Amino acid sequence: MLPHLAPVEERLLLRYADPAAPAVEDAMSAKTLCALLDNAEFHGVLPIMLRKLRERGDAHLPGDSALQARLEDLRHKATIATGQSMLLQFHGGRIMKGLAEEAIPARIVKGPVFARKLYRHAADRPFTDIDILVEPANLSRANKVIAACGFELGGDEAGSYQLQEFKWLEKENSSLLVELHGDLVHDTGMRRRLSLGFRELGIIDGEATDTPAALLTIAIVHAAGGHKFHRLQLCVDVLQGVRSLQTPEEEARVLDAARMTGIELELAIVLDVTGRLFGERRALELAGRIKPDLSIRLAKRLITANTLLRVNSRDKIGSRLRRDVFRWIQRLAKPRPQAA
C-alpha cells in the first residue's frame, strides 16, 4: 500500500505528474517528498517528477540522508529504464523490418510513439514493452516473424488468438517484451461494441501516420479499454494527446473516430476525469460534446479523480469496486451502430 497523501499532497502529485506544469517550489518535509516519490513511481510519472526536481536543484531539497539515498536509488533505476527503452526500440525496429520484408502491414503503437510525439521530453514517458498492431488476418504470419527474431511466446496460443494479443519474450533476456495485437481492445465482452485495429487507425490517420487524432484515440482506448484507470500515467498520455490537437478540425476528427470505433462512452469518461484531475478545460469541453446517456451518467459517478488517485491507498478496495463496475457498464452498454 502506498503512503497516504492528504488532499493538498495529492494536488502536489498532480503538479509533478503534469509534464507542462512548472516545477513545484513549495517547501515540504522529507517525509512528504518521500511519500510523493513513492506515489509517483507507482503511477508511472516518476520520470517527470525526477526531471522537475533536477531542474530546480538538489539545494532546495530537505537535508535528509534517507531522502537523498532514496533519490539516488530512483535516479539509478531511471537510468536503467532509459537503457531498457532504447533496447526495446532496437528490437522493435528489427521486427518491423522483418514484417516489411514479408509484406505484412504493421505499426508500433503506444509507448515509444507517445514518448516521441506527445512529450517534449521523451524521457518523461518510459515504456516497458513494444506494442505492434497488425490486421487480425496477419497475426499468424506476424507471429512467425517475431519468433524468427529470437522471441518466444509467453502464454497460451489459443487464448492469445481470442484476446487478439500475443506476448513475446526475448529468449536471452526475458525482461524484453513485445506484444502483438490484432485489436487494441482485448476484452471479448467489450469488443462487440468497440474496436480499434489497424484498419480503423488507418482511416483516422487518413494520408498521414500517427496523427494527433489517432494518438489520442489510442490513449483513450489504452486507459479505459486495455486497462482500468490503474495509474495516472494513462491519463497523462490522454492529457498530452488533448494538448496535441491544434485545430477544430483535429478535434472533430477525434469525435468522428469515437463514433466510428464505438468509444463514445470511453472518450466521455476518460476526457472528463483527465480534465478534472489536471484542470484541462479542453478535455472537459471535448467530453461534453458527447451526448450523455445512462451509461455515461453512471460512469461519471464511478470514475472520479479519487478513483485514480487512491488505486493503491487505504481506499483501494473502494477504487477497485468502482473500476470493476465501470468495466461491467462497458460490457453491457449498447453496441455501436455499424460504421458506414
Side-chain angles (χ1 to χ4, degrees):
M1 185 183 299
L2 291 170
H4 174 70
L5 295 181
V8 65
E9 294 166 338
E10 289 178 337
R11 290 192 291 273
L12 285 173
L13 176 64
L14 291 170
R15 286 171 58 190
Y16 275 121
D18 183 347
V24 176
E25 297 185 358
D26 304 53
M28 61 189 80
S29 67
K31 180 180 178 181
T32 296
L33 197 50
C34 282
L36 288 170
L37 287 166
D38 288 345
N39 276 266
E41 182 179 29
F42 174 84
H43 281 287
V45 296
L46 180 63
I48 307 171
M49 182 173 179
L50 290 178
R51 171 176 61 79
K52 292 184 177 183
L53 290 175
R54 183 180 67 251
E55 289 172 349
R56 187 157 188 251
D58 287 359
H60 294 88
L61 298 176
D64 181 86
S65 59
L67 171 62
Q68 295 299 329
R70 176 71 170 138
L71 270 174
E72 183 178 356
D73 177 59
L74 290 174
R75 286 166 174 165
H76 177 67
K77 289 179 179 177
T79 301
I80 294 174
T82 299
Q84 181 87 342
S85 296
M86 294 173 65
L87 194 54
L88 281 166
Q89 289 191 82
F90 168 75
H91 285 288
R94 289 178 56 233
I95 293 170
M96 291 296 288
K97 182 179 178 181
L99 291 169
E101 290 173 351
E102 294 296 323
I104 302 173
R107 62 191 291 168
I108 292 177
V109 296
K110 298 189 283 191
V113 183
F114 285 169
R116 186 178 72 253
K117 292 278 191 175
L118 297 181
Y119 289 78
R120 179 182 177 187
H121 303 275
D124 282 355
R125 183 41 167 96
F127 44 92
T128 56
D129 60 10
I130 293 290
D131 295 277
I132 299 175
L133 182 65
V134 299
E135 291 278 12
N138 288 328
L139 283 170
S140 178
R141 294 170 60 212
N143 278 327
K144 292 177 182 178
V145 170
I146 298 176
C149 288
F151 286 73
E152 55 186 1
L153 183 64
D156 173 60
E157 185 175 5
S160 297
Y161 270 108
Q162 184 178 25
L163 294 175
Q164 299 276 290
E165 178 189 39
F166 295 80
K167 295 180 181 291
W168 289 89
L169 302 173
E170 213 269 336
K171 291 180 181 178
E172 303 300 323
N173 183 355
S174 60
S175 70
L176 298 176
L177 171 64
V178 171
E179 295 189 354
L180 178 69
H181 307 268
D183 196 308
L184 294 181
V185 179
H186 304 134
D187 188 294
T188 55
M190 290 165 52
R191 212 184 297 140
R192 67 185 179 84
R193 176 178 60 85
L194 62 149
S195 174
L196 185 61
F198 189 87
R199 182 187 70 86
E200 288 86 357
L201 283 178
I203 295 172
I204 297 168
D205 271 337
E207 297 181 357
T209 303
D210 295 329
T211 60
L215 295 179
L216 179 54
T217 302
I218 293 169
I220 289 169
V221 169
H222 189 214
H227 296 283
K228 291 191 294 185
F229 299 101
H230 72 294
R231 61 198 316 210
L232 276 175
Q233 184 192 63
L234 299 168
C235 286
V236 177
D237 286 341
V238 173
L239 175 69
Q240 294 299 94
V242 170
R243 289 170 173 167
S244 75
L245 301 175
Q246 300 296 316
T247 66
E249 289 75 21
E250 289 179 343
E251 294 181 357
R253 186 174 285 270
V254 171
L255 297 173
D256 289 342
R259 285 186 285 270
M260 180 187 71
T261 56
I263 66 164
E264 294 99 330
L265 165 62
E266 286 71 23
L267 181 145
I269 300 308
V270 176
L271 290 182
D272 180 76
V273 73
T274 299
R276 295 183 187 283
L277 280 165
F278 295 100
E280 179 57 52
R281 177 183 55 80
R282 289 182 66 204
L284 294 171
E285 289 177 352
L286 269 177
R289 290 166 67 177
I290 298 294
K291 183 178 180 181
D293 57 12
L294 179 60
S295 61
I296 290 176
R297 288 194 292 270
L298 288 174
K300 281 186 177 181
R301 298 175 68 90
L302 294 167
I303 305 301
T304 65
N306 285 342
T307 305
L308 273 83
L309 288 169
R310 298 171 187 179
V311 166
N312 195 23
S313 70
R314 293 183 299 196
D315 190 34
K316 65 180 181 179
I317 294 177
S319 172
R320 179 62 183 268
L321 286 173
R322 285 171 172 266
R323 291 179 291 118
D324 285 348
V325 173
F326 173 66
R327 179 65 91 222
W328 278 107
I329 290 176
Q330 290 179 283
R331 291 169 179 159
L332 296 174
K334 184 179 178 181
R336 66 181 176 91
Q338 291 295 316

